[in-house]
Each structure stands twice: as structure tokens, then as C-alpha cells.
Amino acid sequence: MENIEVFVQVEGDTRTEILVVSRDASVNDIVRAAAQKGLPVPADGGLVFVEEAEEAVKATLSAEQAGIKKHSRVHISRCKKISVAVHFNAETGKEEFPPSVTVKKVRNWTLKEFIKHDQDQVDYVLQLCESDIRPDLTTQLGALVKQGCKVCFDLVPVQRVEG
């Protein structure tokens, strides 16, 4: 059977690993391959989300049955949902997302919550609370979880150098 490349991220780890697996490999096989690559897979195997799906897939399904194809993004997490808090000025927005959702989707939700004019939205980025870390837009939300099933962001202006 044909092999496919799959991009895998795991809860609490921002690395993206490329795994080469058989198209008929099970979701469990993908989890084991991720652990063998050194990713910190939960001891029980965790939950597996494909792309930005709302629900985890069954571990016994084949990659093909689970909708995993060439260059699919897979996320392994203990969390079914990530509680997100975003601070902007004196306001806080809260929402829950699956761990496989990208920072881009969270940013888009945040901008609609706080910045009403489209032309102003390009001037803001998400930054992890109490840090200067601005995660890449392609990072899956679950990769940013440090403790519990939650992530905190500040919506901050992009710093521009004007001369």
C-alpha cells in the first residue's frame, strides 16, 4: 500500500513532525509513530484530531477511514476542547476550540470580537499572556497548552518601524 506524509503536532509541544505512514495504518499506528519520533504523546495515546475537526477520530480507524491523507495535519491531545481567553484593553473574550484549530482561526475569531473595522485588523497579532511569544498562525492551539486545557493570549499591535 502507498505511504503518505502526515504533519503531526502534540499537546504542549510546538514542533511539527513529518511522519511517513502507510495509507492503511491505523490512527493508533500514527500515535505510536509520533511517540517513536520523540513527541510527548499522552501515556494513554490521547485523542487524535484531523485538520481542524471539532471531534476526535476513533483510534481503530485506518488513516484513510479517518480522513487522513497526504499532508494532512494531525493533532494528538488529552483535551477535547481548549478554553481560550483573549485580553484586549480592559476586555476579555472567552471561547472554546478543539485542540487542532490553528492560531489563525483563533485570531480571526478574536479580531471579529474586538476590532470591528477590517482595515484595522491587520495591525494586531496574538501573543501568549505574560510573554513576548507570538505563535505562528499555522500552530495548532493544543501545541500551546502548558497546564490544563487552556491558553491565554493578549491581542497586541504589530510593532512597526517607521522612519
Side-chain angles (χ1 to χ4, degrees):
M1 182 116 230
E2 176 187 357
N3 286 339
I4 56 172
E5 286 184 337
V6 179
F7 303 110
V8 179
Q9 280 190 318
V10 175
E11 177 185 325
D13 191 327
T14 57
R15 291 179 293 166
T16 300
E17 288 291 340
I18 300 172
L19 301 181
V20 178
V21 296
S22 170
R23 190 177 299 279
D24 63 350
S26 72
V27 171
N28 273 331
D29 292 336
I30 293 171
V31 171
R32 278 192 289 279
Q36 289 173 347
K37 271 272 201 175
L39 291 172
V41 172
D44 66 357
L47 301 167
V48 178
F49 294 81
V50 180
E51 299 297 334
E52 293 191 31
E54 292 288 324
E55 300 292 328
V57 296
K58 291 183 181 178
T60 56
L61 294 177
S62 71
E64 191 168 24
Q65 291 168 324
I68 300 170
K69 45 192 175 272
K70 183 178 180 181
H71 297 154
S72 285
R73 292 179 56 94
V74 173
H75 187 81
I76 304 168
S77 178
R78 295 171 300 109
C79 307
K80 287 184 180 182
K81 295 283 184 187
I82 307 291
S83 178
V84 175
V86 180
H87 306 289
F88 179 68
N89 293 334
E91 297 181 67
T92 299
K94 294 185 178 184
E95 187 63 71
E96 288 191 339
F97 295 94
S100 56
V101 162
T102 61
V103 170
K104 180 178 182 177
K105 187 168 185 174
V106 175
R107 180 180 176 269
N108 290 343
W109 165 78
T110 301
L111 292 173
K112 287 177 186 161
E113 279 290 302
F114 295 119
I115 312 293
K116 302 304 178 200
H117 301 290
D118 290 349
Q119 65 270 22
D120 295 332
Q121 292 182 352
V122 296
D123 295 332
Y124 291 90
V125 295
L126 291 175
Q127 181 171 296
L128 290 172
C129 291
E130 300 177 8
S131 80
D132 60 357
I133 298 169
R134 297 176 176 186
D136 187 272
L137 293 176
T138 61
T139 301
Q140 290 175 313
L141 187 59
L144 302 172
V145 169
K146 295 298 178 205
Q147 193 171 31
C149 294
K150 57 188 176 187
V151 175
C152 177
F153 293 105
D154 294 316
L155 184 62
V156 298
V158 175
Q159 295 184 344
R160 293 189 174 167
V161 176
E162 298 194 27

